[in-house]
Structure formats: structure tokens, C-alpha cells
Amino acid sequence: MGFFDSAQDVFDKGVSAAKGVVSGVAIEQQAFMKGFVRLCADGWSQGWHERNGGNLTYRMTEAEVADCRAFFYENPSEWIPLGVHADNLRGAFFAVTGAGSYMRNVPLDTARNVGIVEISATGDACRVVWGLKDGGRPTSEFPSHFMIHSVRANATSGASRILYHAHPVNVVALTSVMPLDARTFTRALWKIMTECIIAFPKGVGVVPWMVPGGAEIAMATAELMKTYDAVIWAQHGLFCSGADFDSAFGLMHTIEKAADIYVKARLLNEGGDFANTISDDGLRAIARDLRLNINVSFLD
Ligand code: 13P
Ligand code: ZN
């Protein structure tokens, strides 16, 4: 057998071996994973993800799970207890960033920095079925993501699929100088930039400083997410939910931009009261004309 014959033979064997392993569109090429990776890259370019800061989870559809199954590990990881429990997520699958993963590395090596996890039939544990190569674990904030997914799925009749956690500078800065309540933060942001009441008509929730990564902060955040699409963690960051990657990223972007304008206006004004903001009647008029179902308890 000549060189080209044997090379062809090796090639053919390689192709048939590959065909024997999997067929279909690779997980990195699936539309949901492209959206996932793009959000991570966009968040990094905004400066919201120092080191391993921030995390992202996506609740997959049944069709997406079916399209990905051929690529799942023959031997998934052991079950990882979550420390929390949700009946409505039993058997669900999530795409998740890894604990300690840097958002800036997600586009470079998705299968190492991102994984797919399956939730147990008891709704209180998960196992890695794809990605998170070499023993990676889901984000340390997965208990919070998991509990919030549970309440957001209920609150939106299943429409909400994405939870995005980031460390945006201006939102975090404001938690050092403003009272830590939803009304104060919501009014500050609604009144400084017109689009805010449109982007988050229910307002933003605020969780006081807590130890990250555990069941306590998960339960506190999930409780607020029954009402709000976004919740601030004092001295830490922001959680945003959405039905798709654009709306989750857009909500994060809007809240951080409004906080940036608020901080700049405060600095320009040397901390004094503002000469001009949107009045409560102005906010009512936006809600009336755009038919928004706003949280009226936040208006005077
Ligand atoms: P992870 O690396 O575990 O996702 O943690 C980052 C973070 O932002 C913790 O709140
Ligand atoms: Zn964080």
C-alpha cells in the first residue's frame, strides 16, 4: 500500500470513528450556545466581569436538549447537591458558566468554561452532562440561579429562561451611598433616564449584603424575583432575568447605564438635589401612553 492509500485509509477510519461517536450540529454551533457565548463576550467588553466575576445560566428547551443529547458524556459527573430544592425544575437542563471561569475565556474555549447540567428527578442536585472539561463545576452561584429560575418560570408562565449576574461598577457604587431598599433605587433610576420605567416597569429589588454562593442569598433573591425582573446585591452586583439573551443583557445594560448617569449627575451637582428629574406625573404619563403595567406603589 502506497503512502496516499494508507493516508486515505487512516482518514477513512478517522471519519467513520467520528461518525460512530456523534452526529448532528456540535453544541458550540447551536443557536442557543452562540447567544450564550455572545452575551459573555459582550459583558466582558463592558467591563462587568473582572477575574471570574459574574455568571450566566440558560434553561434549555426540550428541543435543544434533544439536539444536544448525542454530544452528552457517556459518563456524566456525580450528582452535586444544590442545597436548595425546586419541584418545577426536576429533570430540566441548563447551560451554565463554570465556577471560577473567566467570562473573557468563554469564546476561546467554550467546552471548558461552560457546561450543560441536568437536574435530578428530586429537584435538588445536578450533574454535568457536557462541557466543564476536566472536572469543572457549575458556577458557585448556581443555587441562586436555580431558585430564581424556579420563581421566574412560574411568574412568566415559562417564558423566562435566562439569568445573568454581573458586577457593574456604578450599580455597586450606589449600594455604598443609598438606602438599600427597592423603592429608593427604583425611583432614582426611573427618574434619571426615560427608558428605565419602560425597561423595568416593576422596578428593581435590593438584597442587603450577604455571603455569596449559598442557600440564604438564593432564597432572599428568589423571593424578590417574584416581583422584580432585576435584583441588586449590595456591595456585589446585579442579577437580571429575561426570556432571551437580548432582553437579559439589555436589562443589565439599561440599569448600569442609568446608574452611571445618576453617579455622574451627583458628582456634577456635588451631591446636592437635582435641578431636574422626571416627575412622578411624568412617569405616570409614560405608563399611560405606553400602556405599561408599572409598580405604582413606587410613585408619590
Ligand atoms: P463563579 O466564578 O463561581 O461564577 O463566581 C463568580 C461570582 O460572581 C460570585 O458571585
Ligand atoms: Zn458575583
Side-chain angles (χ1 to χ4, degrees):
M1 196 188 279
F3 171 78
F4 287 107
D5 292 334
S6 58
Q8 186 62 45
D9 189 44
V10 168
F11 178 74
D12 286 347
K13 278 195 183 124
V15 169
S16 52
K19 275 187 183 153
V21 176
V22 283
S23 63
V25 179
I27 290 179
E28 288 94 330
Q29 300 307 320
Q30 300 273 347
F32 78 89
M33 190 56 84
K34 286 185 174 176
F36 191 105
V37 171
R38 181 176 170 221
L39 187 151
C40 293
D42 286 350
W44 159 251
S45 61
Q46 290 293 326
W48 301 336
H49 298 294
E50 79 293 341
R51 203 169 173 269
N52 63 310
N55 26 73
L56 177 66
T57 57
Y58 170 72
R59 184 169 56 84
M60 294 167 65
T61 66
E62 283 178 19
E64 287 160 347
V65 174
D67 286 346
C68 292
R69 261 191 204 282
F71 297 90
F72 287 174
Y73 294 137
E74 255 175 59
N75 297 307
S77 75
E78 78 282 15
W79 289 103
I80 305 165
L82 295 174
V84 289
H85 166 262
D87 276 337
N88 65 339
L89 297 178
R90 288 180 296 174
F93 287 78
F94 290 90
V96 299
T97 50
S101 290
Y102 287 33
M103 288 290 194
R104 62 192 284 264
N105 291 337
V106 166
L108 302 180
D109 191 350
T110 304
R112 178 170 300 279
N113 294 286
V114 176
I116 294 177
V117 296
E118 177 186 8
I119 304 302
S120 66
T122 45
D124 59 359
C126 71
R127 63 179 179 179
V128 179
V129 298
W130 179 84
L132 295 174
K133 278 190 295 200
D134 300 327
R137 293 262 181 149
T139 168
S140 62
E141 302 293 4
F142 196 53
S144 282
H145 283 255
F146 184 70
M147 291 313 294
I148 301 168
H149 273 293
S150 174
V151 302
R152 294 306 301 163
N154 280 339
T156 63
S157 306
S160 179
R161 293 195 171 273
I162 289 152
L163 283 173
Y164 178 31
H165 168 58
H167 298 171
V169 172
N170 295 285
V171 170
V172 177
L174 287 181
T175 64
S176 290
V177 297
M178 278 173 37
L180 296 174
D181 66 83
R183 193 172 197 276
T184 303
F185 268 81
T186 300
R187 286 177 63 77
L189 301 175
W190 276 1
K191 284 169 162 283
I192 204 81
M193 190 172 93
T194 302
E195 291 292 314
C196 283
I197 197 167
I198 302 165
F200 48 100
K202 299 295 183 198
V204 288
V206 183
V207 168
W209 185 86
M210 284 187 186
V211 176
E216 196 189 352
I217 196 166
M219 303 305 286
T221 313
E223 185 57 33
L224 291 177
M225 282 271 187
K226 288 178 183 168
T227 307
Y228 307 110
D229 297 333
V231 168
I232 294 168
W233 282 359
Q235 285 77 51
H236 186 148
L238 177 59
F239 252 93
C240 289
S241 65
D244 53 44
F245 292 106
D246 279 347
S247 56
F249 183 84
L251 185 55
M252 183 75 68
H253 205 184
T254 306
I255 293 172
E256 170 59 3
K257 185 167 189 182
D260 191 1
I261 294 169
Y262 187 93
V263 167
K264 285 194 170 76
R266 269 263 173 271
L267 289 172
L268 286 171
N269 215 23
E270 296 174 352
D273 288 341
F274 295 139
N276 312 296
T277 57
I278 305 166
S279 68
D280 287 70
D281 282 344
L283 294 171
R284 271 188 201 92
I286 298 172
R288 183 195 62 221
D289 289 3
L290 276 63
R291 295 192 172 82
L292 301 175
N293 186 13
I294 66 165
N295 190 341
V296 287
S297 69
F298 286 168
L299 295 180
D300 282 344

